[in-house]
Amino acid sequence: MARRSSGCLPVLVLLLAPCLLGYAIGLPVLALAAPALVPYVYLHDPAQFAEHRTLALSTLAAAPVLAFLLVRWASPVGGRLRGNRTRPAPAPAKGRFNPRARQPRPVRGYLGRIVLLLSATSTTALWLLLRSNDARGPQAMQETLTLVGGVAGATVVVLFAIRRWDRPYIAPVTLTAVRTQARQAEKALRRVRADNVRVERLVAEVSAKLAAAHTQRDFATMRTLHTESYGCADSVYAHYRSVQESLNTMTHTVRRVRMARWQPAGAVVRAVNRGARTEAAQLRVATAGLAATVASLQSETARNRKLVDQLNIRTADVKHRIRDGYGAVGLRWFEDLEARREAARAAEGKPLRAAR
């Protein structure tokens, strides 16, 4: 008869899981403190050091490697340390020094952060060891947990600081630049609104002519209407693109101001400099006005796009009416029109569209 499983293996795994997890976390954490732990054991317990000499030296050698992996993991991919070095770094504001504005060299940057991490963990471990947390005696488990927790806390703090410090540097936008952008935005908004009124009137006129064209049978009239409608759509779309470019520039300015507000160096300067706090308050007010103008521009550009879409639909109706309602002449005109458009697209390097 087959022997039934006693079911002890799952229970054993559950019992050993905390121990295995503790070793998996505790050993790497203590390895980061090896520059302090190994000399401490060598000086205070030579017999134990001699017994575990190979393990101690291996842990000491693995500490920089583990620190490098943690630093690389904590540093942002597109940040100051690991970011693209072919792109020029943004210059700080004139008359202000910001240590984050300079992108560090890879070797020097990694070495500095590795030394910082190992120094913090080793100092924490040494301080705890000197306070009798040497994992000996009846309270060895509690002292070990205290040591591991202290080193882990120091590791988390340093890695968090590295992640904050290595974020991409964003050059602060000056108050003068924001006010200049705000004036340009207001001027652009007035122009956009005036142009929208004009474009809306043109769309209404063309739509009325297109509606009346359904009752006309003159090929020349229909062809003229198509040319007029197509030209109007082109002018409206060109206007839309120019507004969109200005809108992107202004949106980028607002985003830069808001992101630069959380730069560590700027926060420190505002904390100790009253003039910087006053300028920051004025900058927030100016940025809020610029953001409101940007929102209005977005609304106007959305309206522009709707006008273009409506006009394109009516223009396509006229084109297909000429193709289907005027026999061979209309079909030849339609084919010539499509050939010219495909040639223009090929000259611009755009993919050809299927015949419609």
Side-chain angles (χ1 to χ4, degrees), residues 63-131:
V65 178
L66 181 59
F68 168 77
L69 295 177
L70 290 176
V71 167
R72 183 172 177 81
W73 170 78
S75 183
V77 177
R80 297 172 56 249
L81 182 61
R82 299 176 59 189
N84 186 7
R85 299 184 178 275
T86 59
R87 184 184 308 169
K94 186 177 181 180
R96 296 182 181 179
F97 171 73
N98 193 322
R100 296 188 68 252
R102 183 179 179 182
Q103 193 172 16
R105 299 288 182 180
V107 176
R108 184 181 301 177
Y110 277 113
L111 283 179
R113 287 155 179 79
I114 290 172
V115 170
L116 175 64
L117 178 58
L118 294 180
S119 299
T121 54
S122 299
T123 302
T124 303
L126 185 60
W127 181 77
L128 292 173
L129 288 172
L130 294 178
R131 293 176 63 88

Side-chain angles (χ1 to χ4, degrees), residues 45-314:
D45 196 346
Q48 185 179 4
F49 177 81
E51 182 181 357
H52 303 286
R53 180 187 183 92
T54 303
L55 178 61
L57 295 179
S58 300
T59 305
L60 185 61
V65 178
L66 181 59
F68 168 77
L69 295 177
L70 290 176
V71 167
R72 183 172 177 81
W73 170 78
S75 183
V77 177
R80 297 172 56 249
L81 182 61
R82 299 176 59 189
N84 186 7
R85 299 184 178 275
T86 59
R87 184 184 308 169
K94 186 177 181 180
R96 296 182 181 179
F97 171 73
N98 193 322
R100 296 188 68 252
R102 183 179 179 182
Q103 193 172 16
R105 299 288 182 180
V107 176
R108 184 181 301 177
Y110 277 113
L111 283 179
R113 287 155 179 79
I114 290 172
V115 170
L116 175 64
L117 178 58
L118 294 180
S119 299
T121 54
S122 299
T123 302
T124 303
L126 185 60
W127 181 77
L128 292 173
L129 288 172
L130 294 178
R131 293 176 63 88
S132 301
N133 291 289
D134 52 0
R136 295 180 181 179
Q139 296 183 348
M141 179 60 68
Q142 181 180 353
E143 294 175 356
T144 301
L145 292 177
T146 301
L147 184 62
V148 172
V151 175
T155 303
V156 171
V157 170
V158 173
L159 293 180
F160 178 77
I162 289 175
R163 187 167 188 85
R164 294 284 297 179
W165 184 258
D166 285 346
R167 289 186 308 166
Y169 174 73
I170 301 174
V173 183
T174 62
L175 179 61
T176 303
V178 173
R179 286 175 174 173
T180 302
Q181 284 277 348
R183 288 193 295 268
Q184 294 176 355
E186 292 173 358
K187 182 179 178 180
L189 181 59
R190 289 193 297 268
R191 178 181 175 183
V192 167
R193 285 174 174 170
D195 287 347
N196 273 352
V197 172
R198 179 180 61 86
V199 170
E200 190 173 15
R201 185 175 64 251
L202 287 175
V203 170
E205 292 177 0
V206 173
S207 298
K209 291 181 180 180
L210 291 176
H214 285 284
T215 62
Q216 299 178 6
R217 303 298 299 174
D218 186 6
F219 170 72
T221 302
M222 294 292 290
R223 184 178 58 187
T224 302
L225 283 173
H226 179 272
T227 303
E228 181 181 358
S229 177
Y230 189 79
C232 181
D234 271 356
S235 64
V236 172
Y237 185 70
H239 171 262
Y240 167 80
R241 290 186 60 183
S242 65
V243 172
Q244 193 67 32
E245 291 176 359
S246 301
L247 181 61
N248 291 338
T249 302
M250 297 170 191
T251 304
H252 180 66
T253 300
V254 173
R255 184 166 59 249
R256 282 182 58 197
V257 172
R258 291 175 176 173
M259 292 181 66
R261 190 183 306 168
W262 300 101
Q263 295 290 332
V268 173
V269 171
R270 289 193 299 271
V272 300
N273 191 326
R274 183 176 181 180
R277 291 195 296 271
T278 303
E279 183 179 355
Q282 296 175 351
L283 188 61
R284 283 196 298 269
V285 174
T287 305
L290 180 59
T293 307
V294 167
S296 299
L297 273 176
Q298 289 175 340
S299 176
E300 294 295 334
T301 52
R303 184 181 170 196
N304 244 309
R305 190 57 185 265
K306 289 181 180 179
L307 293 175
V308 173
D309 292 340
Q310 293 175 3
L311 196 56
N312 284 335
I313 292 174
R314 302 307 299 273

